[in-house]
Amino acid sequence: MRILIISDLHANITALDAVLAEAGPVDACWCLGDLVGYGPDPNECIARVRSLPNLKCIIGNHDAAVLKQIDVDTFNPEARLAIIWTQKALSDNNVAFLRLLPEKLEIGQVTLAHGSPRHPVWEYLLDTRTATLNFSYFETLYGFVGHTHLPVLYSLTDGQNVAGMSIPVPNTRLVLSPRVILNPGSVGQPRDRDPRASFAIYDPDSNVWEYRRVAYDIRQVQERMLSAGLPERHIQRLSGGW
Ligand code: ZN
């Protein structure tokens, strides 16, 4: 079984389409939130995600901000501008879709949360200390998260006090052993200095996590951002993957 794992699409349809082409046919898609914010294609991105087979999707902090469930003033000025732009651009139908997204989901042996199992919408899992604490906040063998835009694996085996951390090598397969928290990286705005779109294919039958990167036409997206009047800094960062 092939399950496409995507996160932090950030309204970048060109990156998302490159990911879908590279992934090939999949049986299901699990999306870890932040479908919108930063990028120029919020409606196109949501429509594409909605068309994917056996979709499971949770809400991210940018999605919640666009819905006014989070105070926009908690974002930095440029992210705030992009959220306000998205609020104006988004169709009623897509607003309704975002509104129905849960904060956390448990599917078989996997828990999905945008930020962390402990604080699904907001917490950033950026270090082993925070990751260690989070292993007590979900019951399943595996936790899949997004939010930091950084591909990473945290593992905690029986008897271990502190979680281990490793950064997977792009385009490799990992056989998962309990228990791990994994981040597939960001489709639409990678921040690990690799500008290629990031995603994973998970096979629950063999417990394999295939971590992938794919190049896409960044300039095309930057041109659309420029004509939409989106912040310059967000346009620039796509080229460097920061
Ligand atoms: Zn994000």
Side-chain angles (χ1 to χ4, degrees), residues 61-72:
N61 58 314
H62 285 255
D63 309 318
V66 165
L67 296 175
K68 300 182 178 163
Q69 293 172 356
I70 290 181
D71 187 355
V72 78

Side-chain angles (χ1 to χ4, degrees), residues 8 10 34 62 114 147 149:
D8 298 277
H10 285 296
D34 276 4
H62 285 255
H114 179 65
H147 197 34
H149 300 205

